[in-house]
Amino acid sequence: VPAGADQPETSEITIALDGRGVEQGSEVLNEGVRMALADGIRLRVFGDPDALAGVAEAGAEVIEAPGEISNTEDPVSAVRSRDDASIVMAAADVAGGRSHALVSAGPTGATMTAALFALRRLSGVRRPSLAVQLPSVGHDGPPTLLLDAGANTEARAQDLVQSAIMGAAFSRAVLGVEAPRVALLSVGEERKKGTPLVVEAHGELQGMAGIDFIGNVEGRDLLAGKADVIATDGFTGNVALKTLEGTAKAVGAAVGDAARSNPVAAVGGLLLRPALGGLRRKMDPDMTGGAILLGVRGVAVVGHGSSGPAGIANAVRLAARAVSERATERTGELLAEAGATRAALK
Amino acid sequence: VPAGADQPETSEITIALDGRGVEQGSEVLNEGVRMALADGIRLRVFGDPDALAGVAEAGAEVIEAPGEISNTEDPVSAVRSRDDASIVMAAADVAGGRSHALVSAGPTGATMTAALFALRRLSGVRRPSLAVQLPSVGHDGPPTLLLDAGANTEARAQDLVQSAIMGAAFSRAVLGVEAPRVALLSVGEERKKGTPLVVEAHGELQGMAGIDFIGNVEGRDLLAGKADVIATDGFTGNVALKTLEGTAKAVGAAVGDAARSNPVAAVGGLLLRPALGGLRRKMDPDMTGGAILLGVRGVAVVGHGSSGPAGIANAVRLAARAVSERATERTGELLAEAGATRAALK
């Protein structure tokens, strides 16, 4: 992974962590915080000081944030009206320069909204985009980045192009892919396949500076390692991601059911189980740490609400790595190089 | 399954079968044809008489069709210009009343185009929609119908509504679901979630006569049996379907790899294998026979190019069942009842 010139040491990186929204409760949060602190990452955790006593004891700084935003609220009005909510205070901490990056396992909509309002968009970016790392089930390479996974359901061609560029910058800076292969998600490989949106984005990406655009890929290619970055609109990306997760879960559960269906199968399942460890780890959402909101002036990681301790720690580590690798600055540079700033002004 | 008043006997049903496009070759086609003939279904098969000698011997009628449309050609211009192509002749056979339904395992685009041009649209239908039966991996109910799987990538809200209605009619008539639960595919369950297209279709489906509309479902619900009919646009539906197929394949392959990774795991895999038969059958695309083009004046089944004999036979059986259950007529009736004809004229 190439490092930036003014790359800070991990021990100099401070993460603002939303101390609310971890579904599995404060013990899980505490354990995750301890793991991240052990890496030398500093943490400022926002929430209920009583619930966060263990976090403070472990060495994190705790800041009282009385308010909470639930996932049934409208994120925009909740974030606008609730200055004392933990996610809003944590985002303000990053905007104010006291922390370097934002991490939350709370509601995705509130996290994205708080990050966007506090950090603002990168110059020339029309809409931020949510990037997720897909499990490398069908290959042994680095994770494929799928974006937008749901930040913006009403996309223009320019949003797809910017997602592609921002994904490439992140893949290079943080996932260590030197020359990320960039693709558009469509219904066929030919350049004329897909919605007018996709066809237009395809035309703009062809020959773009700094981007290794390999054309369209299909839904069946998401896990195959054919591309390092796959760009789509937030509606399609969200449907594809949840379809992928739901299918993997259903197939996994069906294999488990089969292994419980009779005694011989049960023995088979026991003998096979250790060899499935690699697959299980690849499918474990805790391993990647969460999604990244790209296109804002700063680093914001959206952890899974269902995170275990490793999920919390890996979300914090992902944010710290993005800071130390200057992901935001390099995203801005690639956007400028690719001429996306100009495209944004069209 | 309720039967129509003038339901024909199976032995009176004639299927026009495209004798080209079966990737696995004429032996597979012959075997599939024999299986369907054994059910008492009559077959008229269009293609190369030499390659179809076995089919003729088995008792099907063979009609020479010298032309072939490949999946690299533009379907519209190919179908328009090639009267002698097997798929065009088979579709004309249905339009002319010599056969009751069309079945092809050739290129999907050419089959849909030939069916649409020859059979025309049902009254009030703006765009035909391609319906696929999803594997019942996560439940034991009848297959969930997903549509549109790719007939029309530029959808309006009305197209989603008509897909929902046509899917409900087909689920009731052919899959035997008495009161199909109908849903829209979106990025959240709330009625305001999704693109403007989805939100508008949601509003139109609420309270619609003859439709049990249960609201939005997400990508993770496709295999869960939460709905009997899931409507979406052809772009999203195609991406979701291929994501589902690709994920199931990747996870299955990873389990297979694990079972080959060491001798103990191999024994485990052998012991577990018989119990996985049910899952394997559920995932086998040959079991459902293929996709159905809804919204045309007649029955058209699009089989998988990779069909084995059972896939060919089941595609023919699906078409015959749609004829005997008056699927087309009942689709027209439900469209009228639901007021979709009026919506189509808006």
Side-chain angles (χ1 to χ4, degrees), chain B:
Chain B
V1 184
D6 51 355
Q7 182 183 352
E9 298 295 318
T10 302
S11 60
E12 293 169 5
I13 295 175
T14 304
I15 303 296
L17 176 64
D18 181 2
R20 300 187 186 269
V22 177
E23 287 165 16
Q24 297 196 48
S26 55
E27 261 321 297
V28 161
L29 181 72
N30 288 349
E31 183 54 28
V33 163
R34 269 185 223 111
M35 290 165 72
L37 290 169
D39 283 5
I41 302 170
R42 293 183 201 163
L43 281 162
R44 285 168 56 83
V45 188
F46 297 78
D48 171 8
D50 290 341
L52 297 174
V55 162
E57 207 172 296
E61 198 175 338
V62 169
I63 298 97
E64 181 170 7
E68 178 164 14
I69 298 177
S70 81
N71 59 14
T72 57
E73 293 178 84
D74 173 58
V76 172
S77 60
V79 167
R80 278 221 176 98
S81 63
R82 213 86 54 74
D83 279 353
D84 68 348
S86 54
I87 181 60
V88 176
M89 287 184 66
D93 208 57
V94 180
R98 298 195 63 167
S99 300
H100 294 97
L102 174 68
V103 173
S104 173
T108 303
T111 303
M112 292 195 300
T113 305
L116 174 60
F117 285 6
L119 305 177
R120 326 292 305 178
R121 285 170 298 164
L122 270 176
S123 170
V125 170
R126 199 181 80 92
R127 295 282 173 89
S129 181
L130 191 65
V132 290
Q133 301 173 61
L134 300 178
S136 309
V137 173
H139 62 102
D140 292 316
T144 297
L145 214 56
L146 174 70
L147 70 174
D148 173 15
N152 170 30
T153 54
E154 287 173 62
R156 301 182 187 170
Q158 159 196 340
D159 300 327
L160 268 59
V161 172
Q162 294 191 334
S163 280
I165 298 166
M166 297 190 297
F170 192 88
S171 176
R172 196 179 293 165
V174 179
L175 304 182
V177 182
E178 233 171 273
R181 295 157 301 163
V182 175
L184 287 169
L185 185 57
S186 191
V187 297
E189 294 187 356
E190 304 86 345
R191 70 184 168 78
K192 290 282 175 69
K193 287 277 176 142
T195 56
L197 189 80
V198 174
V199 173
E200 187 184 341
H202 192 119
E204 290 199 26
L205 282 165
Q206 259 176 339
M208 189 168 263
I211 300 293
D212 178 15
F213 180 58
I214 63 166
N216 294 347
V217 296
E218 300 187 56
R220 67 167 67 97
D221 303 320
L222 290 174
L223 296 183
K226 274 179 101 169
D228 299 299
V229 175
I230 300 178
T232 187
D233 65 275
F235 183 82
T236 308
N238 187 277
V239 167
L241 178 66
K242 287 178 180 167
T243 298
L244 190 158
E245 291 173 347
T247 303
K249 201 173 157 188
V251 172
V255 172
D257 285 348
R260 278 183 294 275
S261 63
N262 69 64
V264 174
V267 173
L270 278 174
L271 296 178
L272 184 56
R273 198 179 158 77
L276 288 172
L279 176 60
R280 224 171 7 246
R281 275 189 298 279
K282 279 186 172 180
M283 295 302 307
D284 182 357
D286 272 8
M287 295 311 287
T288 58
I292 314 102
L293 188 68
L294 298 178
V296 293
R297 290 181 196 272
V299 173
V301 171
V302 185
H304 307 274
S306 60
S307 291
I312 303 288
N314 284 332
V316 171
R317 288 169 183 146
L318 180 65
R321 198 156 67 240
V323 172
S324 70
E325 298 297 345
R326 300 173 56 252
T328 306
E329 294 80 357
R330 289 163 72 179
T331 300
E333 288 160 19
L334 189 56
L335 280 167
E337 182 187 351
T341 305
R342 196 195 48 209
L345 299 173
K346 265 193 212 168

